[in-house]
Amino acid sequence: MEIFCKNLPKIELHAHLNGSLSSATLKKLGCLTDSISEYQKLNTLLETTPETLNDCFPVFKIAHNATNTKENVYTATQSVIKDFHDDNVVYLELRTTPRNGDDFDKETYIETVIKAICDYKNCSGKTESMIIKLILCIDRRHDIRTSSEMIDLIIKMKGKYPHVIKGVDLCGNPNEGKFFRGIFEKARENGLKITLHCAEVANSDEVMEMFEFKPDRIGHGTCIHGDFGGNEMLWWKFQDLRIPVECCLTSNVICGTSNGFEGHHIKELIKNKIPFCICTDDKGVFNTDLSCEYFLLSKHFGLDKMDLWKICFESVDLIFDSDEVKRELKKVMMNWMEKNFD
Ligand code: IMP
Ligand code: ZN
């Protein structure tokens, strides 16, 4: 099954650039062993509680220190893309929060990530190509003014790179900050798709506000069902809306927002046929990859090879790209199925 999961052509829709750095990449960026261990420290915890999620955010500072020059942002982006490509990801939506660094401002940061994406397409040695798109994030800890300036910049950059920038995300510590609906309405009016980190912790008023906005996808969607920190009203509304969920099993287990793999809320999504995709979130911080996430799904929820293939195939409908790209990806998936199933 592990080999099957590795070979499966996969779709990754929720991967934070600075959470996805491997040990090898961190070393390449000049990180010392202690910093690398600190970046990966959550993997060594014997017990996690919902408070563990708060410990996750300081860890990203290590990655941000390591990617504080244009050159390192470029190297990190290309390395992360290569890791996903090596794991047989055929379509990647990478996400990142624009920020200022030693020799770049937010705009240059976006330009650098896009250059790394575009150059990668031209220089990958692999025969199977990978399509790479970008989602830009708003950090929920930022105030309305900073978020508003950020959305204007994202809209401007989308005008310049419409084939790369496809969406906007709301991320950051869910125990802090808030969801400014107007910011995302503006993004939507300007042709951007919207995904929101939603219900990562219990916060029924905010979750309802997000549902009313009707994002194109949500990240995590943990505390919606009453058995998982949500309530009946939220679950009822969600069943009506059927917003696709980006599920990140290992991330939720390690951050303590899910009570082990078997206790993950994905079982309610499967049972109620709510669309979902399988994602890594921060493969560097949580020491995982997309193949491993598919393997864990099959192991803990009794899914067979065809079930996994179907999840990949159906994830194509959830991407933030054109119908033409969807058709192309479905062809890749069908061809692979014909060759790999009797
Ligand atoms: P970056 O945006 O490429 O710098 O990636 C790291 C950032 O992603 C972090 O600083 C967080 O704001 C965000 N992030 C990563 N994982 C999570 C998560 O599980 N929940 C919310 N935000 C996250
Ligand atoms: Zn995330």
Side-chain angles (χ1 to χ4, degrees), residues 7-288:
N7 290 338
L8 191 60
K10 293 173 285 295
I11 308 282
E12 169 65 81
L13 302 183
H14 186 138
H16 298 268
L17 172 59
N18 283 290
S20 301
L21 310 179
S22 65
S23 305
T25 302
L26 287 167
K27 249 187 230 161
K28 214 186 315 177
L29 299 174
C31 278
L32 302 175
T33 316
D34 282 358
S35 307
I36 298 175
S37 306
E38 181 71 12
Y39 184 72
Q40 299 166 341
K41 74 173 183 189
L42 298 178
N43 298 304
T44 58
L45 297 177
L46 296 176
E47 243 179 68
T48 56
T49 67
E51 278 72 52
T52 310
L53 181 64
N54 289 319
D55 300 334
C56 164
F57 294 93
V59 161
F60 296 111
K61 286 216 176 74
I62 292 159
H64 291 156
N65 288 338
T67 57
N68 226 12
T69 61
K70 261 193 295 182
E71 194 185 341
N72 281 7
V73 169
Y74 183 89
T75 303
T77 308
Q78 286 225 323
S79 299
V80 167
I81 294 171
K82 184 175 185 313
D83 290 345
F84 280 111
H85 202 178
D86 287 345
D87 196 27
N88 293 313
V89 168
V90 289
Y91 178 91
L92 167 66
E93 281 176 13
L94 193 61
R95 62 181 73 189
T96 195
T97 318
R99 59 177 220 277
N100 302 322
D102 288 346
D103 62 353
F104 57 82
D105 59 9
K106 293 187 180 92
E107 182 166 336
T108 313
Y109 179 82
I110 300 173
E111 296 264 9
T112 308
V113 172
I114 290 178
K115 181 162 172 32
I117 290 174
C118 296
D119 289 355
Y120 184 82
K121 280 190 200 148
N122 303 332
C123 76
S124 82
K126 268 200 146 199
T127 39
E128 311 83 38
S129 59
M130 176 168 58
I131 298 169
I132 313 148
K133 303 292 162 172
L134 185 62
I135 294 174
L136 293 168
C137 305
I138 305 275
D139 191 317
R140 52 181 296 134
R141 290 167 291 190
H142 289 158
D143 61 18
I144 182 89
R145 197 171 142 201
T146 312
S147 304
S148 192
E149 282 167 8
M150 183 74 100
I151 218 67
D152 289 342
L153 173 63
I154 293 172
I155 290 166
K156 176 179 147 189
M157 298 309 275
K158 151 103 169 104
K160 201 166 170 192
Y161 301 103
H163 300 300
V164 183
I165 300 174
K166 292 291 166 187
V168 178
D169 169 41
L170 177 69
C171 71
N173 190 339
N175 294 308
E176 295 173 28
K178 62 178 290 205
F179 165 57
F180 297 115
R181 179 174 172 158
I183 302 277
F184 291 89
E185 265 161 6
K186 190 166 184 189
R188 179 178 270 164
E189 281 158 18
N190 282 276
L192 288 149
K193 297 276 188 186
I194 311 293
T195 178
L196 304 172
H197 280 67
C198 170
E200 210 174 347
V201 295
N203 187 348
S204 55
D205 289 350
E206 182 184 271
V207 175
M208 192 53 96
E209 211 187 324
M210 288 179 169
F211 285 173
E212 273 155 16
F213 170 73
K214 297 193 183 78
D216 299 285
R217 296 195 309 246
I218 57 170
H220 303 299
T222 312
C223 305
I224 301 175
H225 191 281
D227 290 350
F228 299 92
N231 59 49
E232 225 171 89
M233 201 154 77
L234 284 180
W235 182 250
W236 181 83
K237 175 92 176 161
F238 184 60
Q239 276 199 299
D240 182 36
L241 293 169
R242 312 188 81 72
I243 302 168
V245 184
E246 303 153 359
C247 288
C248 311
L249 302 182
T250 299
S251 164
N252 297 152
V253 171
I254 292 183
C255 289
T257 54
S258 170
N259 188 12
F261 288 101
E262 264 100 12
H264 195 277
H265 58 284
I266 197 169
K267 67 179 161 203
E268 285 301 330
L269 306 181
I270 296 172
K271 196 163 92 193
N272 291 282
K273 298 194 169 18
I274 293 194
F276 67 85
C277 52
I278 298 297
C279 310
T280 53
D281 205 9
D282 299 291
K283 73 174 182 59
V285 171
F286 302 124
N287 189 29
T288 187

